[in-house]
Amino acid sequence: EVDRKVVRTAGEPHHIELSAYSECIAGDGEGLNYVTATIVDKSGNVCPNACNRLTFSAEGSAYVYATDAGDQRETETFLRPDKKALSGKLVCCVRSNGTKGEAVVTCEADGLIPATITFKCV
């Protein structure tokens, strides 16, 4: 039997998808979570050439601490809520603010449908 893999070429960037490293972090002001934003087309295929500037915001029990895409050529500080994606991805470090409860993280960019993810701070 032949193992056949399907390769799909991404279409135009359409929306953002978010995933969090953890569903729950310490709510003591020291807990960190890493939220990855991925730029995808209408079918959910990663857009590997997308370099949109993404902006993160957080509400509730956490705040945006830093962002980074891993681009060694980038000179912007990590300690800002926005940065350009690299290969369709950007990571946001979110820190608990010392209160227990729910943290809601949103990511948006011009021309893309935004995304929101929620996790707990305990």
Side-chain angles (χ1 to χ4, degrees), residues 3 7 17 19-20 29-30 48 52-53 56 66 70 72 74 76 82 91 104-106 110 116 118-120:
D3 183 21
V7 176
E17 291 182 350
S19 61
E30 299 294 323
N52 304 62
R53 179 168 290 277
F56 285 91
Q72 299 301 311
E74 182 61 63
E76 293 180 318
D82 66 310
V91 175
V104 180
V105 177
T106 300
D110 289 342
T116 300
T118 303
F119 60 90
K120 302 257 187 241

Side-chain angles (χ1 to χ4, degrees), residues 23-118:
E23 293 179 7
C24 184
I25 64 171
D28 59 1
E30 299 294 323
L32 299 175
N33 205 352
Y34 299 92
V35 177
T36 301
T38 304
I39 300 169
V40 297
D41 66 9
K42 275 187 176 183
S43 300
N45 299 308
V46 177
C47 298
N49 296 324
C51 59
N52 304 62
R53 179 168 290 277
L54 304 178
T55 302
F56 285 91
S57 60
E59 296 177 349
S61 297
Y63 64 96
V64 173
Y65 186 66
T67 55
D68 191 40
D71 188 346
Q72 299 301 311
R73 302 164 295 178
E74 182 61 63
T75 59
E76 293 180 318
T77 180
F78 296 113
L79 301 176
R80 56 183 298 150
D82 66 310
K83 198 167 273 209
K84 283 186 174 183
L86 176 66
S87 300
K89 294 188 179 266
L90 180 65
V91 175
C92 177
C93 178
V94 181
R95 187 173 190 158
S96 65
N97 63 16
T99 61
K100 295 180 180 180
E102 198 170 75
V104 180
V105 177
T106 300
C107 182
E108 54 192 359
D110 289 342
L112 299 177
I113 297 171
T116 300
I117 194 166
T118 303

